[in-house]
């Protein structure tokens, strides 16, 4: 690793919580590793870079993030190298650092130097490397995030911020193919809004419609455009792709479409698909087109892509009260091959020829 000029103070925990974890039962988002990386922004610069035992923050009741929503985050994963278990592999972390700063700019927050992101991440994972699981289908989920910290109720951007990275072992996000519902009443975001950024408020806006869909038996939503609700954008936890005959179609992201998150997993999948020699179209995908393809048998596959889910097959699509079953997962050769390739690279089983893997 390049020697970066970043001074990070490390305070280790007195007693690890690692013995309390059953790595054969690690639900997503429930357990957290021993340490976290923290940095504070004040007086116009990032300072007090530190790795400390995982603990609560102390916040004023008037902390501006609680009132005005200046909060952004990222998500990425680390894996145990299956060919060299002593090595930890992180999938495309530099891209997460860049996307964090795109979100920061949109939310009027200070950008975080990439060297701080990368060095903080490296030292944190090196210290907590025993927390990276080696059980089938598991990984170490990594959550970088930033929030405003001014104790001030005036309506303006905060002058101070905290950036942190926490990690935790996790199993698979979806244990089975997902049922999705086309959402035509509520909107996740709109043109000119914050849809392309990983902003906390985007997810808050999705909770009620997702809850209503869950009550109808659906695992997730297929969000549509806010103006007409005619075009599919993304799902709540993932971007989505459809295989119509031998062509993969997926909605475009920024700079073409600013309402859809630019998923790093999605970008990786597109490269893998193109390497397989498949035709890929990034364009607006209408609900009518997908429903017609599902009915006439030309919709061969549909799946989500994202850090948490990796590749998630879609079992059925609900639209206007009608539920359309998709082909059996066992018959879907394209998404199965993509998943095998992606996870093989992430876990060191397939040679990384693209420079996607960061080694610790």
């Amino acid at each position: 690793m390049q020697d970066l000029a970043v001074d990070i103070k490390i305070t280790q925990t007195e007693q690890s919580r690692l013995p309390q974890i059953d790595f054969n039962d690690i639900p997503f988002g429930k357990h957290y590793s021993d340490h976290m990386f923290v940095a504070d922004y004040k007086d116009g610069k990032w300072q007090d870079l530190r790795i400390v035992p995982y603990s609560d923050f102390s916040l004023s009741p008037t902390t501006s993030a609680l009132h005005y929503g200046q909060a952004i985050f990222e998500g990425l994963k680390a894996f145990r190298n299956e060919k060299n278990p002593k090595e930890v592999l992180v999938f495309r972390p530099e891209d997460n650092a860049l996307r964090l700063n795109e979100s920061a700019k949109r939310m009027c927050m200070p950008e975080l130097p990439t060297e701080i992101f990368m060095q903080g991440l490296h030292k944190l994972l090196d210290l907590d490397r025993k927390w990276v699981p080696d059980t089938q289908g598991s990984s170490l989920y990594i959550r970088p995030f930033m929030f405003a910290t001014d104790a001030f109720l005036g309506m303006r951007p905060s002058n101070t911020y905290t950036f942190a990275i926490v990690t935790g072992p996790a199993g698979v996000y979806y244990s089975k193919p997902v049922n999705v519902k086309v959402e035509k009443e509520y909107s996740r975001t709109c043109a000119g809004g914050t849809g392309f950024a990983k902003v906390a408020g985007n997810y808050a806006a999705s909770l009620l419609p997702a809850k209503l869909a869950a009550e109808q038996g659906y695992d997730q939503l297929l969000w549509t455009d806010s103006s007409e609700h005619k075009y599919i954008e993304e799902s709540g936890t993932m971007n989505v792709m459809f295989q119509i005959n031998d062509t993969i179609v997926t909605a475009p992201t920024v700079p073409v479409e600013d309402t859809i998150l630019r998923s790093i997993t999605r970008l990786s999948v597109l490269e893998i698909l193109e390497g397989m020699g498949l035709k890929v179209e990034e364009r607006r995908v209408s609900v009518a087109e997908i429903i017609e393809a599902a009915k006439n048998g030309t919709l061969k596959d549909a799946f989500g892509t994202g850090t948490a889910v990796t590749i998630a097959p879609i079992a059925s699509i609900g639209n206007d009260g009608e539920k359309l079953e998709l082909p059996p997962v066992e018959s879907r050769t394209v998404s199965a091959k993509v998943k095998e390739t992606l996870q093989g690279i992430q876990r060191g089983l397939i040679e990384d020829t693209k420079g996607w893997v960061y080694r610790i």
Side-chain angles (χ1 to χ4, degrees), residues 32-78:
Y32 305 101
S33 310
D34 284 328
H35 301 90
M36 61 184 185
F37 173 74
V38 185
D40 296 318
Y41 182 87
K42 57 184 178 181
D43 300 326
K45 62 181 180 180
W46 288 100
Q47 52 192 284
D48 193 15
L49 313 182
R50 59 202 186 273
I51 292 175
V52 296
Y54 180 90
S55 60
D56 294 340
F57 288 114
S58 177
L59 299 175
S60 164
T62 57
T63 297
S64 56
L66 302 178
H67 300 270
Y68 304 116
Q70 276 187 294
I72 60 177
F73 66 95
E74 278 297 318
L76 61 159
K77 284 181 177 179

Side-chain angles (χ1 to χ4, degrees), residues 3-235:
D3 185 18
L4 304 174
V6 176
D7 182 23
I8 299 175
K9 180 181 178 182
I10 298 177
T11 304
Q12 295 194 41
T13 185
E14 294 182 359
Q15 185 171 0
S16 173
R17 291 176 286 104
L18 194 58
Q20 303 172 19
I21 306 300
D22 178 4
F23 281 93
N24 293 307
D25 181 21
I26 40 176
F28 189 92
K30 295 282 188 178
H31 303 290
Y32 305 101
S33 310
D34 284 328
H35 301 90
M36 61 184 185
F37 173 74
V38 185
D40 296 318
Y41 182 87
K42 57 184 178 181
D43 300 326
K45 62 181 180 180
W46 288 100
Q47 52 192 284
D48 193 15
L49 313 182
R50 59 202 186 273
I51 292 175
V52 296
Y54 180 90
S55 60
D56 294 340
F57 288 114
S58 177
L59 299 175
S60 164
T62 57
T63 297
S64 56
L66 302 178
H67 300 270
Y68 304 116
Q70 276 187 294
I72 60 177
F73 66 95
E74 278 297 318
L76 61 159
K77 284 181 177 179
F79 304 86
R80 184 76 58 185
N81 186 339
E82 293 194 22
K83 289 187 175 180
N84 178 14
K86 293 183 179 180
E87 187 175 54
V88 173
L89 306 178
V90 190
F91 190 68
R92 303 188 71 165
E94 296 93 341
D95 292 291
N96 290 95
L98 294 173
R99 192 174 65 179
L100 178 86
N101 282 333
E102 290 301 313
S103 298
K105 285 186 286 187
R106 179 61 182 86
M107 296 302 289
C108 205
M109 302 168 79
E111 294 183 47
L112 180 81
T114 300
E115 59 266 27
I116 292 180
F117 184 104
M118 292 300 298
Q119 189 75 344
L121 177 66
H122 185 107
K123 291 189 175 182
L124 178 64
L125 295 188
D126 188 31
L127 184 62
D128 278 347
R129 66 172 57 241
K130 291 182 180 180
W131 282 85
V132 182
D134 58 5
T135 48
Q136 183 67 32
S138 61
S139 61
L140 186 78
Y141 184 73
I142 304 165
R143 173 55 63 90
F145 60 102
M146 185 194 304
F147 61 97
T149 56
D150 274 7
F152 178 66
L153 289 180
M155 182 57 188
R156 60 159 173 76
S158 179
N159 291 317
T160 60
Y161 297 85
T162 291
F163 170 77
I165 304 175
V166 298
T167 69
V172 295
Y173 196 89
Y174 292 125
S175 59
K176 59 182 178 62
V178 295
N179 299 301
V180 298
K181 174 192 172 185
V182 177
E183 179 56 55
K184 296 181 178 178
E185 178 181 358
Y186 295 94
S187 296
R188 170 183 171 271
T189 184
C190 63
T194 60
F196 70 93
K198 210 161 175 63
V199 175
N202 291 348
Y203 297 83
S206 73
L207 295 177
L208 174 60
K211 177 177 179 290
L212 297 175
E215 291 171 355
Q216 299 173 34
Y218 293 100
D219 303 298
Q220 268 299 334
L221 297 171
L222 286 180
W223 292 104
T224 55
D225 66 288
S226 61
S227 58
E228 298 179 282
H229 294 297
K230 290 183 177 180
Y231 297 94
I232 294 172
E233 295 195 329
E234 63 176 296
S235 185

Side-chain angles (χ1 to χ4, degrees), residues 259-274:
T259 56
I260 302 172
L261 182 70
R262 186 174 179 268
S263 164
I264 294 162
T265 305
R266 172 188 176 277
L267 293 174
S268 307
V269 168
L270 289 177
E271 286 196 43
I272 292 171
L273 288 168
E274 290 170 356

